[in-house]
Coordinates of all heavy atoms in Angstrom, one line a residue:
M1 N -78.3 -9.2 -24.4 CA -79.2 -9.5 -23.3 C -78.4 -9.5 -22.1 O -77.7 -10.5 -21.7 CB -79.8 -10.9 -23.5 CG -80.8 -11.0 -24.7 SD -81.6 -12.6 -24.9 CE -82.3 -12.9 -23.3
A2 N -78.4 -8.4 -21.4 CA -77.6 -8.2 -20.2 C -78.5 -8.6 -19.0 O -78.9 -7.8 -18.2 CB -77.2 -6.7 -20.1
I3 N -78.8 -9.9 -18.9 CA -79.6 -10.4 -17.8 C -78.7 -11.1 -16.9 O -77.9 -12.0 -17.2 CB -80.7 -11.4 -18.4 CG1 -81.6 -10.7 -19.3 CG2 -81.4 -12.0 -17.2 CD1 -82.6 -11.6 -20.0
E4 N -78.8 -10.7 -15.6 CA -78.0 -11.3 -14.6 C -78.9 -12.0 -13.6 O -79.6 -11.3 -12.8 CB -77.1 -10.3 -13.9 CG -76.0 -9.7 -14.8 CD -75.1 -8.7 -14.1 OE1 -74.9 -8.9 -12.9 OE2 -74.6 -7.8 -14.8
P5 N -79.0 -13.3 -13.6 CA -79.9 -14.0 -12.6 C -79.4 -13.8 -11.2 O -78.2 -13.8 -10.9 CB -79.8 -15.4 -13.0 CG -78.6 -15.6 -13.8 CD -78.2 -14.2 -14.4
R6 N -80.4 -13.5 -10.3 CA -80.1 -13.3 -8.9 C -80.4 -14.6 -8.2 O -81.1 -15.5 -8.7 CB -80.9 -12.2 -8.4 CG -80.3 -10.8 -8.8 CD -81.2 -9.7 -8.3 NE -81.9 -9.3 -9.6 CZ -83.0 -8.8 -9.7 NH1 -83.8 -8.6 -8.6 NH2 -83.5 -8.4 -10.8
L7 N -79.9 -14.8 -7.0 CA -80.1 -16.0 -6.2 C -81.6 -16.3 -6.0 O -82.0 -17.5 -6.0 CB -79.4 -15.9 -4.9 CG -79.3 -17.1 -4.0 CD1 -78.6 -18.2 -4.8 CD2 -78.7 -16.8 -2.7
G8 N -82.4 -15.3 -5.9 CA -83.8 -15.5 -5.7 C -84.6 -16.0 -6.9 O -85.7 -16.5 -6.8
Q9 N -84.0 -16.0 -8.1 CA -84.6 -16.4 -9.3 C -84.3 -17.9 -9.6 O -85.0 -18.5 -10.4 CB -84.2 -15.5 -10.5 CG -84.6 -14.1 -10.3 CD -84.0 -13.2 -11.4 OE1 -82.9 -13.6 -11.9 NE2 -84.6 -12.1 -11.6
W10 N -83.4 -18.5 -9.0 CA -83.0 -19.9 -9.3 C -84.1 -20.9 -9.0 O -84.3 -21.8 -9.8 CB -81.7 -20.2 -8.7 CG -80.5 -19.6 -9.4 CD1 -79.8 -18.5 -9.0 CD2 -80.0 -20.0 -10.7 NE1 -78.8 -18.2 -9.9 CE2 -78.9 -19.1 -11.0 CE3 -80.3 -20.9 -11.6 CZ2 -78.2 -19.1 -12.1 CZ3 -79.6 -21.0 -12.8 CH2 -78.5 -20.1 -13.0
P11 N -84.7 -20.8 -7.9 CA -85.8 -21.8 -7.6 C -86.9 -21.8 -8.6 O -87.3 -22.9 -9.0 CB -86.3 -21.4 -6.2 CG -85.2 -20.6 -5.6 CD -84.5 -19.9 -6.7
A12 N -87.3 -20.7 -9.1 CA -88.4 -20.6 -10.1 C -87.9 -21.3 -11.4 O -88.6 -22.0 -12.1 CB -88.8 -19.2 -10.4
L13 N -86.6 -21.0 -11.8 CA -86.1 -21.6 -13.0 C -86.0 -23.1 -12.9 O -86.3 -23.9 -13.8 CB -84.7 -21.0 -13.3 CG -84.0 -21.6 -14.5 CD1 -84.7 -21.3 -15.8 CD2 -82.6 -21.1 -14.6
L14 N -85.5 -23.6 -11.7 CA -85.4 -25.0 -11.5 C -86.8 -25.7 -11.5 O -86.9 -26.8 -12.0 CB -84.7 -25.3 -10.2 CG -83.2 -24.9 -10.2 CD1 -82.6 -25.2 -8.8 CD2 -82.4 -25.7 -11.2
I15 N -87.8 -25.1 -10.9 CA -89.1 -25.7 -11.0 C -89.6 -25.7 -12.4 O -90.2 -26.7 -12.8 CB -90.1 -24.9 -10.0 CG1 -89.7 -25.1 -8.6 CG2 -91.5 -25.2 -10.3 CD1 -90.4 -24.2 -7.6
F16 N -89.4 -24.7 -13.2 CA -89.8 -24.7 -14.6 C -89.1 -25.8 -15.3 O -89.8 -26.5 -16.1 CB -89.5 -23.3 -15.2 CG -89.7 -23.3 -16.7 CD1 -90.9 -23.3 -17.3 CD2 -88.6 -23.4 -17.5 CE1 -91.1 -23.4 -18.7 CE2 -88.7 -23.4 -18.9 CZ -90.0 -23.4 -19.5
L17 N -87.8 -26.0 -15.2 CA -87.1 -27.0 -15.9 C -87.5 -28.4 -15.5 O -87.6 -29.3 -16.3 CB -85.6 -26.8 -15.6 CG -84.9 -25.6 -16.3 CD1 -83.5 -25.5 -15.9 CD2 -85.1 -25.7 -17.8
L18 N -87.8 -28.6 -14.2 CA -88.3 -29.9 -13.7 C -89.6 -30.2 -14.3 O -89.9 -31.3 -14.8 CB -88.3 -29.9 -12.2 CG -88.7 -31.2 -11.6 CD1 -87.7 -32.3 -11.9 CD2 -88.9 -31.1 -10.1
A19 N -90.5 -29.2 -14.3 CA -91.9 -29.4 -14.9 C -91.8 -29.7 -16.4 O -92.5 -30.6 -16.9 CB -92.8 -28.2 -14.6
F20 N -90.9 -29.0 -17.1 CA -90.8 -29.2 -18.5 C -90.2 -30.6 -18.8 O -90.7 -31.3 -19.7 CB -89.9 -28.1 -19.2 CG -89.8 -28.3 -20.7 CD1 -90.8 -28.0 -21.5 CD2 -88.6 -28.8 -21.2 CE1 -90.7 -28.1 -22.9 CE2 -88.5 -29.0 -22.6 CZ -89.5 -28.7 -23.4
S21 N -89.2 -30.9 -18.0 CA -88.6 -32.2 -18.2 C -89.6 -33.4 -17.9 O -89.4 -34.5 -18.4 CB -87.3 -32.4 -17.3 OG -87.7 -32.7 -16.0
F22 N -90.6 -33.1 -17.1 CA -91.6 -34.1 -16.8 C -92.7 -34.1 -17.9 O -93.0 -35.2 -18.5 CB -92.3 -33.9 -15.5 CG -93.5 -34.7 -15.2 CD1 -93.3 -36.1 -14.8 CD2 -94.8 -34.3 -15.4 CE1 -94.4 -36.9 -14.6 CE2 -95.8 -35.1 -15.2 CZ -95.7 -36.4 -14.8
L23 N -93.2 -33.0 -18.2 CA -94.3 -32.9 -19.2 C -94.0 -33.3 -20.6 O -94.7 -34.0 -21.3 CB -94.9 -31.5 -19.2 CG -95.6 -31.1 -17.9 CD1 -96.1 -29.6 -17.9 CD2 -96.8 -32.0 -17.7
Y24 N -92.8 -32.8 -21.1 CA -92.5 -33.1 -22.5 C -92.3 -34.6 -22.8 O -93.0 -35.1 -23.6 CB -91.2 -32.4 -22.8 CG -90.7 -32.7 -24.2 CD1 -91.3 -32.3 -25.3 CD2 -89.5 -33.4 -24.4 CE1 -90.9 -32.6 -26.6 CE2 -89.0 -33.7 -25.6 CZ -89.7 -33.3 -26.7 OH -89.2 -33.6 -28.0
P25 N -91.5 -35.4 -22.1 CA -91.4 -36.8 -22.4 C -92.5 -37.6 -22.0 O -93.0 -38.5 -22.7 CB -90.1 -37.2 -21.8 CG -89.8 -36.3 -20.7 CD -90.5 -35.0 -21.1
V26 N -93.0 -37.4 -20.7 CA -94.0 -38.3 -20.2 C -95.3 -38.2 -20.9 O -96.0 -39.2 -21.3 CB -94.2 -38.1 -18.7 CG1 -95.4 -38.9 -18.1 CG2 -92.9 -38.4 -17.9
V27 N -95.8 -37.0 -21.1 CA -97.1 -36.8 -21.8 C -97.0 -37.2 -23.3 O -97.9 -37.9 -23.8 CB -97.6 -35.3 -21.7 CG1 -98.8 -35.1 -22.5 CG2 -97.9 -35.0 -20.2
S28 N -95.9 -36.8 -24.0 CA -95.9 -37.1 -25.4 C -95.6 -38.6 -25.6 O -96.2 -39.2 -26.5 CB -94.7 -36.3 -26.1 OG -93.5 -36.6 -25.5
L29 N -94.9 -39.3 -24.7 CA -94.7 -40.7 -24.9 C -96.0 -41.5 -24.6 O -96.3 -42.5 -25.2 CB -93.6 -41.2 -24.0 CG -92.2 -41.0 -24.4 CD1 -91.2 -41.4 -23.4 CD2 -91.9 -41.6 -25.8
S30 N -96.7 -41.1 -23.5 CA -97.9 -41.8 -23.2 C -99.1 -41.6 -24.1 O -100.0 -42.4 -24.2 CB -98.3 -41.5 -21.7 OG -98.6 -40.1 -21.6
F31 N -99.1 -40.5 -24.9 CA -100.2 -40.2 -25.8 C -99.8 -40.7 -27.2 O -100.6 -41.3 -27.9 CB -100.6 -38.8 -25.8 CG -101.5 -38.4 -24.7 CD1 -101.0 -37.7 -23.6 CD2 -102.8 -38.7 -24.7 CE1 -101.8 -37.3 -22.6 CE2 -103.7 -38.4 -23.7 CZ -103.1 -37.7 -22.6
W32 N -98.6 -40.3 -27.7 CA -98.3 -40.6 -29.1 C -97.2 -41.6 -29.3 O -96.9 -42.0 -30.4 CB -97.8 -39.3 -29.7 CG -98.9 -38.3 -29.7 CD1 -100.1 -38.3 -30.5 CD2 -99.0 -37.1 -28.9 NE1 -100.9 -37.2 -30.1 CE2 -100.2 -36.5 -29.1 CE3 -98.2 -36.6 -27.9 CZ2 -100.6 -35.3 -28.5 CZ3 -98.6 -35.4 -27.3 CH2 -99.8 -34.8 -27.6
G33 N -96.5 -42.0 -28.2 CA -95.4 -43.0 -28.3 C -94.1 -42.5 -28.8 O -93.2 -43.2 -29.0
Q34 N -94.0 -41.2 -28.9 CA -92.7 -40.6 -29.3 C -92.7 -39.1 -29.0 O -93.7 -38.5 -28.9 CB -92.5 -40.8 -30.8 CG -93.5 -40.3 -31.7 CD -93.3 -40.7 -33.2 OE1 -92.5 -41.5 -33.4 NE2 -94.1 -40.2 -34.0
T35 N -91.5 -38.6 -28.8 CA -91.3 -37.2 -28.6 C -90.9 -36.6 -30.0 O -90.8 -37.3 -31.0 CB -90.1 -36.9 -27.6 OG1 -88.9 -37.5 -28.2 CG2 -90.4 -37.5 -26.2
A36 N -90.8 -35.3 -30.0 CA -90.4 -34.7 -31.3 C -89.1 -35.2 -31.9 O -88.9 -35.5 -33.0 CB -90.4 -33.2 -31.2
G37 N -88.1 -35.3 -31.0 CA -86.8 -35.8 -31.4 C -86.9 -37.3 -31.8 O -86.2 -37.7 -32.8
M38 N -87.7 -38.1 -31.2 CA -87.9 -39.5 -31.6 C -88.6 -39.6 -32.9 O -88.2 -40.4 -33.8 CB -88.7 -40.2 -30.5 CG -87.9 -40.5 -29.2 SD -88.9 -41.2 -27.9 CE -89.1 -42.9 -28.5
A39 N -89.5 -38.7 -33.2 CA -90.2 -38.7 -34.5 C -89.3 -38.3 -35.6 O -89.4 -38.8 -36.7 CB -91.4 -37.7 -34.4
W40 N -88.4 -37.4 -35.3 CA -87.4 -36.9 -36.3 C -86.5 -38.1 -36.7 O -86.2 -38.2 -37.9 CB -86.6 -35.8 -35.7 CG -85.7 -35.1 -36.7 CD1 -85.9 -35.0 -38.0 CD2 -84.5 -34.4 -36.4 NE1 -84.9 -34.3 -38.6 CE2 -84.0 -33.9 -37.6 CE3 -83.8 -34.2 -35.2 CZ2 -82.8 -33.2 -37.7 CZ3 -82.6 -33.4 -35.3 CH2 -82.2 -32.9 -36.5
F41 N -86.2 -39.0 -35.8 CA -85.3 -40.1 -36.2 C -86.1 -41.4 -36.5 O -85.6 -42.5 -36.7 CB -84.3 -40.4 -35.0 CG -83.2 -39.5 -35.0 CD1 -83.1 -38.4 -34.1 CD2 -82.1 -39.6 -35.9 CE1 -82.1 -37.5 -34.1 CE2 -81.1 -38.7 -35.9 CZ -81.1 -37.7 -35.0
G42 N -87.5 -41.3 -36.4 CA -88.3 -42.5 -36.7 C -88.4 -43.5 -35.6 O -88.6 -44.7 -35.9
L43 N -88.1 -43.1 -34.4 CA -88.2 -44.0 -33.2 C -89.5 -44.0 -32.5 O -90.2 -42.9 -32.5 CB -87.1 -43.7 -32.2 CG -85.7 -43.7 -32.7 CD1 -84.7 -43.2 -31.7 CD2 -85.3 -45.2 -33.1
E44 N -90.0 -45.1 -32.0 CA -91.3 -45.1 -31.3 C -91.1 -46.0 -30.0 O -90.3 -47.0 -30.0 CB -92.4 -45.7 -32.1 CG -92.8 -44.9 -33.3 CD -93.9 -45.5 -34.1 OE1 -94.2 -46.7 -33.9 OE2 -94.6 -44.8 -34.8
A45 N -91.8 -45.6 -29.0 CA -91.8 -46.4 -27.7 C -93.3 -46.9 -27.6 O -94.2 -46.2 -27.4 CB -91.5 -45.5 -26.5
R46 N -93.4 -48.2 -27.9 CA -94.7 -48.8 -28.0 C -94.8 -50.0 -27.0 O -93.9 -50.8 -26.8 CB -95.0 -49.3 -29.4 CG -95.0 -48.2 -30.4 CD -96.4 -48.0 -30.9 NE -96.5 -46.9 -31.8 CZ -97.4 -46.0 -31.6 NH1 -98.3 -46.1 -30.7 NH2 -97.5 -44.9 -32.4
E47 N -96.0 -50.2 -26.4 CA -96.3 -51.4 -25.6 C -96.6 -52.6 -26.5 O -96.3 -53.7 -26.2 CB -97.4 -51.1 -24.7 CG -97.7 -52.1 -23.7 CD -98.8 -51.7 -22.7 OE1 -99.0 -50.5 -22.5 OE2 -99.4 -52.6 -22.1
S48 N -97.3 -52.3 -27.6 CA -97.7 -53.3 -28.6 C -97.6 -52.5 -29.9 O -97.4 -51.3 -30.0 CB -99.1 -53.8 -28.3 OG -100.1 -52.8 -28.5
P49 N -97.8 -53.2 -31.0 CA -97.8 -52.5 -32.3 C -98.8 -51.4 -32.5 O -98.7 -50.5 -33.3 CB -98.0 -53.6 -33.3 CG -97.6 -54.9 -32.7 CD -97.9 -54.7 -31.2
V50 N -99.9 -51.5 -31.6 CA -101.0 -50.5 -31.8 C -100.9 -49.4 -30.7 O -101.2 -48.3 -31.0 CB -102.3 -51.3 -31.6 CG1 -103.5 -50.3 -31.8 CG2 -102.4 -52.4 -32.7
F51 N -100.6 -49.7 -29.5 CA -100.7 -48.8 -28.4 C -99.3 -48.2 -28.0 O -98.3 -49.0 -27.9 CB -101.3 -49.5 -27.2 CG -102.7 -50.0 -27.4 CD1 -102.9 -51.4 -27.5 CD2 -103.7 -49.1 -27.6 CE1 -104.2 -51.8 -27.7 CE2 -105.0 -49.6 -27.8 CZ -105.2 -50.9 -27.9
P52 N -99.3 -46.9 -27.7 CA -98.0 -46.4 -27.1 C -97.9 -46.8 -25.6 O -98.8 -47.5 -25.1 CB -98.2 -44.9 -27.1 CG -99.7 -44.7 -27.2 CD -100.3 -45.9 -27.9
I53 N -96.7 -46.6 -25.0 CA -96.5 -47.0 -23.6 C -97.5 -46.3 -22.7 O -98.0 -45.2 -23.0 CB -95.1 -46.8 -23.2 CG1 -94.7 -45.3 -23.2 CG2 -94.1 -47.6 -24.0 CD1 -93.3 -45.1 -22.7
S54 N -97.8 -46.8 -21.6 CA -98.7 -46.3 -20.6 C -98.1 -45.1 -19.9 O -96.9 -44.9 -19.9 CB -99.2 -47.3 -19.6 OG -98.2 -47.7 -18.8
F55 N -98.9 -44.3 -19.2 CA -98.4 -43.2 -18.4 C -97.4 -43.7 -17.3 O -96.4 -43.0 -17.1 CB -99.6 -42.5 -17.8 CG -99.2 -41.2 -17.0 CD1 -98.9 -40.1 -17.7 CD2 -99.0 -41.3 -15.6 CE1 -98.5 -38.9 -17.0 CE2 -98.6 -40.2 -14.9 CZ -98.4 -39.0 -15.6
S56 N -97.7 -44.8 -16.7 CA -96.8 -45.3 -15.6 C -95.5 -45.7 -16.2 O -94.4 -45.5 -15.6 CB -97.5 -46.4 -14.8 OG -97.7 -47.5 -15.6
Q57 N -95.5 -46.3 -17.4 CA -94.3 -46.7 -18.0 C -93.4 -45.5 -18.4 O -92.2 -45.5 -18.2 CB -94.5 -47.6 -19.2 CG -95.1 -49.0 -18.9 CD -95.5 -49.7 -20.1 OE1 -96.0 -49.1 -21.1 NE2 -95.4 -51.0 -20.1
A58 N -94.1 -44.5 -18.9 CA -93.4 -43.3 -19.3 C -92.8 -42.6 -18.0 O -91.7 -42.0 -18.0 CB -94.3 -42.3 -20.1
L59 N -93.6 -42.6 -16.9 CA -93.2 -42.0 -15.7 C -91.9 -42.7 -15.1 O -91.0 -42.1 -14.7 CB -94.3 -42.1 -14.7 CG -94.0 -41.5 -13.3 CD1 -93.7 -40.0 -13.4 CD2 -95.1 -41.7 -12.4
R60 N -91.9 -44.1 -15.2 CA -90.8 -44.8 -14.7 C -89.5 -44.6 -15.6 O -88.4 -44.5 -15.1 CB -91.1 -46.3 -14.7 CG -92.0 -46.7 -13.6 CD -92.0 -48.2 -13.5 NE -92.5 -48.9 -14.7 CZ -93.8 -49.3 -14.8 NH1 -94.6 -49.3 -13.8 NH2 -94.1 -49.9 -15.9
R61 N -89.8 -44.3 -16.9 CA -88.7 -44.0 -17.8 C -88.1 -42.7 -17.4 O -86.9 -42.5 -17.4 CB -89.3 -44.0 -19.2 CG -88.3 -44.1 -20.3 CD -89.1 -44.2 -21.6 NE -88.2 -43.9 -22.7 CZ -88.1 -44.6 -23.8 NH1 -88.9 -45.6 -24.0 NH2 -87.3 -44.2 -24.7
W62 N -88.9 -41.7 -17.1 CA -88.5 -40.4 -16.7 C -87.7 -40.4 -15.4 O -86.7 -39.8 -15.3 CB -89.7 -39.4 -16.6 CG -89.4 -38.1 -16.1 CD1 -88.9 -37.1 -16.8 CD2 -89.7 -37.6 -14.8 NE1 -88.8 -35.9 -16.0 CE2 -89.3 -36.2 -14.8 CE3 -90.2 -38.1 -13.6 CZ2 -89.4 -35.4 -13.6 CZ3 -90.4 -37.3 -12.5 CH2 -89.9 -36.0 -12.5
L63 N -88.3 -41.2 -14.4 CA -87.6 -41.3 -13.1 C -86.2 -42.0 -13.3 O -85.2 -41.6 -12.7 CB -88.4 -42.1 -12.2 CG -89.6 -41.3 -11.5 CD1 -90.5 -42.3 -10.7 CD2 -89.1 -40.2 -10.7
G64 N -86.1 -43.0 -14.1 CA -84.9 -43.7 -14.4 C -83.8 -42.7 -15.0 O -82.7 -42.8 -14.7
G65 N -84.3 -41.9 -15.9 CA -83.4 -40.9 -16.4 C -82.8 -39.9 -15.4 O -81.6 -39.6 -15.4
W66 N -83.7 -39.5 -14.5 CA -83.3 -38.6 -13.4 C -82.3 -39.3 -12.4 O -81.4 -38.7 -12.0 CB -84.4 -37.9 -12.7 CG -84.9 -36.7 -13.4 CD1 -86.0 -36.5 -14.1 CD2 -84.2 -35.4 -13.4 NE1 -86.1 -35.2 -14.6 CE2 -85.0 -34.5 -14.2 CE3 -83.0 -35.0 -12.9 CZ2 -84.6 -33.2 -14.4 CZ3 -82.6 -33.7 -13.1 CH2 -83.4 -32.8 -13.8
I67 N -82.6 -40.5 -12.1 CA -81.8 -41.3 -11.2 C -80.4 -41.5 -11.8 O -79.4 -41.3 -11.2 CB -82.4 -42.6 -10.8 CG1 -83.6 -42.4 -9.9 CG2 -81.4 -43.5 -10.2 CD1 -84.5 -43.6 -9.7
T68 N -80.4 -41.8 -13.1 CA -79.1 -41.9 -13.8 C -78.3 -40.6 -13.8 O -77.1 -40.6 -13.6 CB -79.3 -42.4 -15.3 OG1 -80.0 -43.6 -15.2 CG2 -78.0 -42.5 -16.0
V69 N -79.0 -39.5 -14.0 CA -78.3 -38.2 -14.0 C -77.8 -37.9 -12.6 O -76.7 -37.4 -12.4 CB -79.2 -37.1 -14.5 CG1 -78.7 -35.7 -14.2 CG2 -79.4 -37.2 -16.0
A70 N -78.6 -38.2 -11.6 CA -78.3 -37.9 -10.2 C -77.1 -38.7 -9.8 O -76.2 -38.2 -9.0 CB -79.4 -38.1 -9.3
L71 N -76.9 -39.9 -10.2 CA -75.8 -40.8 -9.9 C -74.7 -40.7 -10.9 O -73.8 -41.5 -10.9 CB -76.3 -42.2 -9.7 CG -77.3 -42.4 -8.6 CD1 -77.8 -43.9 -8.7 CD2 -76.8 -42.1 -7.3
L72 N -74.7 -39.7 -11.7 CA -73.6 -39.4 -12.6 C -73.3 -40.5 -13.6 O -72.2 -40.8 -14.0 CB -72.3 -39.0 -11.9 CG -72.4 -37.8 -11.0 CD1 -71.1 -37.7 -10.2 CD2 -72.7 -36.6 -11.7
G73 N -74.4 -41.2 -14.0 CA -74.3 -42.2 -15.0 C -73.8 -43.6 -14.5 O -73.6 -44.5 -15.3
L74 N -73.7 -43.7 -13.2 CA -73.2 -45.0 -12.6 C -74.1 -46.2 -13.0 O -73.6 -47.2 -13.3 CB -73.1 -44.9 -11.1 CG -72.5 -46.0 -10.4 CD1 -71.1 -46.3 -10.9 CD2 -72.5 -45.8 -8.9
P75 N -75.4 -46.0 -13.0 CA -76.3 -47.2 -13.4 C -75.9 -47.6 -14.9 O -76.0 -48.8 -15.1 CB -77.7 -46.6 -13.3 CG -77.6 -45.6 -12.3 CD -76.3 -44.9 -12.5
L76 N -75.6 -46.7 -15.7 CA -75.3 -47.1 -17.1 C -73.9 -47.9 -17.1 O -73.8 -48.9 -17.9 CB -75.2 -45.9 -18.0 CG -76.5 -45.2 -18.4 CD1 -76.3 -44.0 -19.2 CD2 -77.4 -46.2 -19.1
V77 N -73.0 -47.4 -16.3 CA -71.7 -48.1 -16.3 C -71.9 -49.6 -15.7 O -71.4 -50.5 -16.3 CB -70.7 -47.4 -15.4 CG1 -69.5 -48.2 -15.1 CG2 -70.4 -46.0 -16.0
L78 N -72.7 -49.7 -14.7 CA -73.0 -51.0 -14.2 C -73.8 -51.9 -15.1 O -73.6 -53.1 -15.2 CB -73.8 -50.9 -12.8 CG -73.0 -50.3 -11.7 CD1 -73.9 -50.1 -10.5 CD2 -71.8 -51.1 -11.3
L79 N -74.6 -51.3 -15.9 CA -75.4 -52.0 -16.9 C -74.5 -52.6 -18.0 O -74.6 -53.7 -18.4 CB -76.5 -51.1 -17.6 CG -77.3 -51.8 -18.6 CD1 -78.2 -52.8 -18.0 CD2 -78.2 -50.7 -19.3
V80 N -73.5 -51.8 -18.4 CA -72.6 -52.2 -19.5 C -71.6 -53.2 -19.0 O -71.4 -54.2 -19.7 CB -71.8 -51.0 -20.1 CG1 -70.7 -51.4 -21.0 CG2 -72.8 -50.0 -20.8
W81 N -71.0 -53.0 -17.8 CA -70.0 -54.0 -17.4 C -70.5 -55.0 -16.3 O -69.7 -55.8 -15.9 CB -68.8 -53.2 -16.8 CG -68.0 -52.5 -17.9 CD1 -67.5 -53.2 -19.0 CD2 -67.7 -51.2 -17.9 NE1 -66.8 -52.3 -19.7 CE2 -66.9 -51.0 -19.1 CE3 -67.9 -50.1 -17.2 CZ2 -66.4 -49.8 -19.5 CZ3 -67.3 -48.9 -17.6 CH2 -66.6 -48.7 -18.7
G82 N -71.8 -54.9 -16.0 CA -72.5 -55.9 -15.1 C -71.7 -56.3 -14.0 O -71.8 -57.3 -13.3

């Protein structure tokens, strides 16, 4: 695959990756309570034993992940060492 991305193609790729990173975890967590990877390991994100987390909770989880990545993991370091 001799594909060489040009500078004009990067914005479209970044928009696609941002949209996928939003839709995959937020929608699957708010409807089913787990992503495909979580289902593989038997993990669930639930508000109660019956209901998965709400859309706003899944959205906050997604935003927290992006903030952690943007700050190079500093929030995790502060969480561990308080």
Side-chain angles (χ1 to χ4, degrees):
M1 293 180 55
I3 298 174
E4 294 183 27
R6 285 175 254 149
L7 187 60
Q9 296 171 337
W10 285 105
L13 177 64
L14 292 176
I15 290 172
F16 170 75
L17 291 175
L18 184 65
F20 181 77
S21 79
F22 172 77
L23 291 174
Y24 174 69
V26 173
V27 172
S28 61
L29 283 175
S30 61
F31 280 104
W32 300 287
Q34 56 189 8
T35 61
M38 290 172 73
W40 189 26
F41 283 102
L43 301 172
E44 292 182 343
R46 299 245 171 231
E47 186 174 339
S48 67
V50 179
F51 299 109
I53 62 175
S54 68
F55 183 80
S56 64
Q57 289 170 327
L59 180 65
R60 285 191 301 257
R61 197 174 162 134
W62 176 76
L63 283 173
W66 272 108
I67 290 170
T68 301
V69 168
L71 296 175
L72 302 174
L74 186 60
L76 290 177
V77 171
L78 293 175
L79 182 67
V80 171
W81 286 308

